[in-house]
């Protein structure tokens, strides 16, 4: 089976350089915003020319025209450039085929999922599937007898292989349907052949094979199993991951791709883990012995500010070059990339490597088990509705819940979890992550002077926030809590808010934009930090209002739950000076208990947070509890919470876990109201 839809919505490795979904739709908008409109039709016509030289020229021209130019790309797409280029993949001239594959590869990377979906729908896999065995045959010939073909011929084949592999990689990220079709090509031996023979092949081609394999092994059982059971494959991947070299040479172009290859193999290994015994790697501490020594130095290099300054200088130089070229020649530029363009691509490659390392580290930091129940759990455990009223048998439900957890434990073997008992690497990782969440002047500008850099920088900020969130949630659940170091928690909290100030007002950011996503992910960090240092973070009015405004603005329950969690931590600050913040937050959360105002998860989190906020009747916040008549408000909310829990559909993804959690919150709310009433205060 392919990747689940949930995973597809949470892509960790985006093949797109620059998302362009914000651009106006339609040919008219593309024509008006592109300065190359007149060059498009002649190029499309030349692709059908009888002269192969003209067809080759047209394919090359497409790649040049779309470079960092989404408007022209969309204009070409409206003229069916995708279908025309796919037709050229069966051209009688090999050079035309090679250039067509290169143009399609560039369209995949620059255009993203929309164009990839169009390619799949226009059956690009039919010609691609014929290329795989041909490339494999030529590859074996070159490896066995490297002198059988001139160097320039080998270069063409390797570049062609890189283009084909990259297209397959991008297609596999398009949809489950496309992924399943790519699975049917049985690509593992094809891709691993490049990695196994890496010392005799160009590094860019080997790296593209690793990228494709990284995506294909991510939550994709057929491919992961095929790699996992082959000892030679695993040994090869471990060998590459351990051959790290000096990370200080990361900025050198000769080492950049080697570092990226090492990062990708780390990602592949983590996708494959855990490894079943008697495999020798089953006893290896994959995270601490292989992954962290490779990944932590990469994110510790701290390239963001330096990259921003370099890009600013290169963009100015490129603008000067372009201006001079336009004065000399008004035709489309079809020659090789300039030094400034190559320099910009080098910076982007470095930034993307950092992003990739962060994405893998996010998984390493996620040391908490997946809350979803195993598929084998008997759903009938949940079939009996319990606690129809407040007098229901609590012990019966507790026994049922214990039975479910026992089944969970029984389904897990000794090697089903490579979860460390404590994130001991966090102190080393904390400072680099706090640096990587800080925006630079190129992180969010609209329009950006260099869109690929802006896209990479914002992706790094998002990945760093995700990594921090996972790490602190893991730390909260680990033995030996860090709660005693209050200064550390307060410093992380304030540093996150500094980064958010740089990201700008979330209410002014377009839905789905990088700015909005930064805020949505960052509140998870605030929640996790607040979970560890509950009651230790001094609430500031501006921060409280910002969290409330964000919670109101979002429709996604997951984001709203994180906002409420962060607010709950602030409301529990045990100081009389913080009573105003406590009152504001409590009043807001009580408003979320009104049936129909919000989603079930948000309502449950609000109820749970209110119980936590007023758990201690001896705390200063008790004054707000009494003055605000909170007890009666909670008692009045019980029926609404009960109805919301009863309405949870267990058949939906995550429904069983949400139902179980909802029943727990409902019981706690009933018990809290009873207890408070029993005090007769």
């Amino acid at each position: 089976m392919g990747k689940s839809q949930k995973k597809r919505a949470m892509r960790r490795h985006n093949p797109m350089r620059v998302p362009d979904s914000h651009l106006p739709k339609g040919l008219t908008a593309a024509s008006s915003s592109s300065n190359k409109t007149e060059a498009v039709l002649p190029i499309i016509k030349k692709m059908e020319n009888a002269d192969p030289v003209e067809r080759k020229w047209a394919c090359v021209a497409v790649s040049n025209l779309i470079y960092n130019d989404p408007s022209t790309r969309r204009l070409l797409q409206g003229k069916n450039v995708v279908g025309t280029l796919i037709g050229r993949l069966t051209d009688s001239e090999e050079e035309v085929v090679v250039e067509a594959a290169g143009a399609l590869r560039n369209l995949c990377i620059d255009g993203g999922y929309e164009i990839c979906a169009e390619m799949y729908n226009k059956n690009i896999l039919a010609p691609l599937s014929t290329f795989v065995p041909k490339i494999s045959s030529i590859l074996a010939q070159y490896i066995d007898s490297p002198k059988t073909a001139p160097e320039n011929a080998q270069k063409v084949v390797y570049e062609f292989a890189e283009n084909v592999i990259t297209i397959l990689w991008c297609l596999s990220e398009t949809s489950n349907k496309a992924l399943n079709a790519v699975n049917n090509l049985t690509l593992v031996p094809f891709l691993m052949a490049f990695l196994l023979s890496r010392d005799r092949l160009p590094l860019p081609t080997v790296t593209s094979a690793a990228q494709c394999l990284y995506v294909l092994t991510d939550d994709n059982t057929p491919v992961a199993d095929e790699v996992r059971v082959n000892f030679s494959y695993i040994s090869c991947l471990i060998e590459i991951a351990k051959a790290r070299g000096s990370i200080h040479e990361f900025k050198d172009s000769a080492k950049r791709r080697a570092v990226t290859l090492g990062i990708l193999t780390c990602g592949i290994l983590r996708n494959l883990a855990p490894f079943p015994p008697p495999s020798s790697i089953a006893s290896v501490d994959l995270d601490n012995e292989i992954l962290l020594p490779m990944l932590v130095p990469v994110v510790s290099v701290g390239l963001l500010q330096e990259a921003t300054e370099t890009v600013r200088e290169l963009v100015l130089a490129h603008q000067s070059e372009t201006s001079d070229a336009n004065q000399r020649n008004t035709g489309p530029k079809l020659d090789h990339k300039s030094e400034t363009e190559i320099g910009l691509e080098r910076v982007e490659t470095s930034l993307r490597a950092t992003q990739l390392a962060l994405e893998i580290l996010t998984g390493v930091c996620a040391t908490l088990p997946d809350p979803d129940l195993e598929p084998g759990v008997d759903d009938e455990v949940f079939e009996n509705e319990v606690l129809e009223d407040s007098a229901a048998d609590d012990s019966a439900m507790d026994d049922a819940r214990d039975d479910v957890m026992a089944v969970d434990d029984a389904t897990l073997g000794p090697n089903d979890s490579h979860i460390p008992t404590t994130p001991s690497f966090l102190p080393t990782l904390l400072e680099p992550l706090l640096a990587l969440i800080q925006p630079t002047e190129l992180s969010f500008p609209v329009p950006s002077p260099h869109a690929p850099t802006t896209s990479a920088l914002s992706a790094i900020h998002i990945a760093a926030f995700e990594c921090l969130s996972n790490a602190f949630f893991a730390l909260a659940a680990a033995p030996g809590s860090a709660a005693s170091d209050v200064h550390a928690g307060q410093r992380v909290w304030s540093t996150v808010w500094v980064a958010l100030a740089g990201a700008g007002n979330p209410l002014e950011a377009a839905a789905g934009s990088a700015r909005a996503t930064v805020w949505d992910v960052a509140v998870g960090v605030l929640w996790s930090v607040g979970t560890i240092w509950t009651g230790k973070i001094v609430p500031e009015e501006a921060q409280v209002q910002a969290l409330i405004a964000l919670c109101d603005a979002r429709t996604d329950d997951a984001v709203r739950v994180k906002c409420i969690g962060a607010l709950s931590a602030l409301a529990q600050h045990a100081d009389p000076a913080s009573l105003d913040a406590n009152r504001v937050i409590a009043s807001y959360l009580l408003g979320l208990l009104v049936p129909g105002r919000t989603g079930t998860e948000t309502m449950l989190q609000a109820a749970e947070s209110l119980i936590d906020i007023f758990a201690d009747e001896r705390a200063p916040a008790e004054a707000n509890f009494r003055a605000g008549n909170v007890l009666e408000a909670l008692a009045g909310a019980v029926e609404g919470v009960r109805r919301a829990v009863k309405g949870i559909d267990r058949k939906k993804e995550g429904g069983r876990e949400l139902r179980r959690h909802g029943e727990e919150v409902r019981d706690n709310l009933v018990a809290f109201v009873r207890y408070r009433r029993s005090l007769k205060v």
Side-chain angles (χ1 to χ4, degrees):
M1 61 184 291
K3 300 181 184 181
S4 68
Q5 203 61 41
K6 178 180 178 182
K7 291 290 184 181
R8 300 227 61 77
M10 299 169 60
R11 295 182 181 91
R12 289 181 296 174
H13 188 54
N14 189 339
M16 288 192 297
R17 294 177 68 214
V18 188
D20 61 2
S21 57
H22 63 283
L23 295 175
K25 305 290 184 182
L27 283 176
T28 302
S31 299
S32 62
S33 57
S34 173
N35 59 4
K36 302 170 185 174
T37 304
E38 295 180 359
V40 168
L41 282 178
I43 288 173
I44 296 294
K45 290 180 179 178
K46 284 181 182 292
M47 283 194 200
E48 306 290 351
N49 196 292
D51 186 350
V53 175
E54 292 293 307
R55 299 199 299 274
K56 176 185 174 182
W57 180 92
C59 293
V60 174
V62 170
S63 293
N64 284 283
L65 285 176
I66 67 172
Y67 182 72
N68 287 343
D69 190 345
S71 295
T72 303
R73 180 172 66 242
R74 291 197 166 198
L75 186 59
L76 282 163
Q77 188 179 0
K79 301 298 183 181
N80 193 32
V81 70
V82 170
T84 306
L85 285 170
I86 291 175
R88 296 280 65 79
L89 292 179
T90 55
D91 198 281
S92 58
E93 293 291 331
E94 289 187 357
E95 290 187 355
V96 176
V97 174
V98 170
E99 296 299 342
L104 287 164
R105 178 254 190 198
N106 291 341
L107 280 168
C108 280
I109 293 179
D110 281 347
Y113 304 117
E114 180 183 332
I115 283 185
C116 289
E118 182 182 351
M119 290 182 187
Y120 174 76
N121 291 334
K122 292 182 176 178
N123 202 24
I124 192 175
L125 284 178
L128 290 184
S129 63
T130 66
F131 296 149
V132 171
K134 292 179 181 178
I135 294 172
S136 295
S137 176
I138 297 173
L139 177 67
Q141 178 184 348
Y142 286 173
I143 290 174
D144 294 339
S145 306
K147 296 182 179 180
T148 56
E151 185 176 343
N152 62 334
Q154 294 188 41
K155 182 176 182 293
V156 169
V157 170
Y158 294 142
E159 289 180 353
F160 178 65
E162 181 184 350
N163 291 334
V164 170
I165 291 169
T166 303
I167 295 170
L168 291 169
W169 153 44
C170 294
L171 287 174
S172 67
E173 283 285 76
T174 303
S175 66
N176 284 328
K177 186 182 294 186
L179 176 68
N180 290 331
V182 173
N183 282 349
N184 291 335
L185 298 180
T186 316
L187 292 177
V188 169
F190 171 69
L191 297 172
M192 282 303 308
F194 290 92
L195 298 177
L196 290 165
S197 304
R198 61 193 178 280
D199 293 335
R200 290 169 284 178
L201 297 173
L203 192 53
T205 308
V206 176
T207 303
S208 67
Q211 287 175 323
C212 190
L213 193 62
Y214 170 60
V215 171
L216 287 175
T217 53
D218 181 16
D219 194 38
N220 186 22
T221 302
V223 173
D225 284 346
E226 190 175 353
V227 180
R228 190 183 289 122
V229 299
N230 191 307
F231 180 76
S232 64
Y233 292 170
I234 301 301
S235 298
C236 171
L237 293 169
I238 292 177
E239 186 178 337
I240 297 173
K242 286 185 173 180
R244 290 181 290 274
S246 173
I247 196 62
H248 298 292
E249 300 177 43
F250 179 58
K251 300 174 187 178
D252 182 81
S253 58
K255 291 288 183 179
R256 190 174 292 108
R257 285 191 181 273
V259 172
T260 300
L261 179 61
I263 297 170
L264 286 165
T265 53
C266 286
I268 296 168
L269 287 168
R270 197 151 216 293
N271 289 343
L272 300 176
F275 298 91
S279 170
S280 58
I281 194 178
S283 60
V284 174
D285 186 344
L286 182 65
D287 288 345
N288 289 309
E289 294 181 28
I290 298 177
L291 305 190
L292 292 173
M294 172 74 226
L295 301 175
V296 173
V298 172
V299 301
S300 302
V301 171
L303 294 171
L304 302 197
Q305 196 59 49
E306 180 182 339
T308 297
E309 294 172 1
T310 301
V311 167
R312 187 174 59 238
E313 294 172 359
L314 288 171
V315 165
L316 290 174
H318 181 61
Q319 289 173 346
S320 177
E321 290 175 358
T322 303
S323 177
D324 293 342
N326 287 340
Q327 292 177 4
R328 294 191 303 266
N329 181 14
T330 58
K333 174 180 173 290
L334 299 177
D335 53 350
H336 296 292
K337 291 184 177 69
S338 67
E339 284 299 317
T340 56
E341 290 172 332
I342 294 173
L344 289 168
E345 289 187 353
R346 285 173 179 167
V347 173
E348 184 188 355
T349 300
S350 298
L351 292 175
R352 291 300 184 187
T354 301
Q355 176 195 350
L356 179 59
L358 284 169
E359 290 168 350
I360 299 168
L361 282 170
T362 298
V364 176
C365 290
T367 59
L368 295 177
D370 190 334
D372 287 342
L373 296 174
E374 294 294 313
V377 175
D378 188 356
D379 288 339
E380 292 182 3
V381 173
F382 297 97
E383 287 304 317
N384 294 322
E385 296 293 343
V386 292
L387 283 177
E388 285 297 330
D389 53 54
S390 59
D393 186 357
D394 291 337
S395 63
M397 189 178 69
D398 290 338
D399 291 342
R401 187 175 296 115
D402 290 341
D403 290 342
V404 173
M405 297 309 294
V407 174
D408 269 347
D409 293 338
T411 60
L412 297 177
N415 291 295
D416 282 347
S417 174
H418 49 284
I419 298 171
T421 56
T422 180
S424 58
F425 55 86
L426 183 57
T428 304
L429 195 57
L430 182 58
E431 293 304 322
L433 290 178
L434 291 178
L436 291 173
I437 64 174
Q438 301 301 326
T440 76
E441 63 183 85
L442 290 182
S443 295
F444 303 108
V446 179
S448 171
H450 189 247
T453 297
T454 292
S455 176
L457 286 172
S458 58
I460 286 173
H461 301 322
I462 293 167
F465 272 122
E466 289 176 335
C467 197
L468 279 172
S469 180
N470 279 0
F472 280 114
F473 272 123
L475 193 61
S481 175
S484 59
D485 191 352
V486 176
H487 175 71
Q490 293 172 339
R491 190 173 74 86
V492 173
W493 181 276
S494 61
T495 304
V496 169
W497 279 103
V498 170
L500 289 175
N505 189 337
L507 305 185
E508 297 176 357
S513 66
R515 286 181 188 271
T517 305
V518 161
W519 273 89
D520 293 351
V521 176
V523 288
V525 181
L526 296 175
W527 184 20
S528 59
V529 170
T531 301
I532 298 173
W533 290 280
T534 299
K536 305 299 183 181
I537 309 296
V538 180
E540 296 183 12
E541 182 180 358
Q543 295 176 2
V544 171
Q545 293 302 324
L547 289 170
I548 289 175
L550 183 64
C551 190
D552 282 338
R554 295 296 187 259
T555 56
D556 183 356
D557 261 350
V559 178
R560 304 189 78 180
V561 163
K562 290 186 284 188
C563 291
I564 294 169
L567 286 167
S568 174
L570 292 176
Q572 294 178 66
H573 188 246
D575 191 297
S578 300
L579 283 179
D580 281 347
N582 173 280
R583 176 180 50 77
V584 170
I585 294 170
S587 176
Y588 176 70
L589 297 184
L590 285 170
L592 297 179
L593 298 182
V594 177
R597 175 176 172 181
T598 186
T600 300
E601 291 181 68
T602 301
M603 174 187 278
L604 292 175
Q605 185 61 42
E608 193 171 17
S609 294
L610 284 163
I611 294 171
D612 292 338
I613 291 169
F614 296 112
D616 186 357
E617 65 272 13
R618 298 161 299 179
E622 183 68 10
N624 286 337
F625 184 81
R626 298 177 190 175
N629 204 17
V630 175
L631 178 56
E632 292 309 309
L634 289 176
V638 169
E639 182 60 27
V641 171
R642 180 180 288 114
R643 288 180 180 275
V645 171
K646 189 174 181 180
I648 296 172
D649 186 353
R650 291 187 293 261
K651 295 180 180 180
K652 289 184 177 180
E653 184 175 7
R656 289 176 295 173
E657 174 60 22
L658 179 59
R659 178 63 177 267
R660 188 171 59 170
H661 174 64
E663 289 170 347
E664 182 180 352
V665 173
R666 177 199 60 199
D667 295 350
N668 289 341
L669 180 60
V670 170
F672 180 76
V673 171
R674 284 177 179 169
Y675 169 72
R676 279 300 200 150
R677 283 176 171 170
S678 72
L679 295 179
K680 301 184 184 301
V681 177

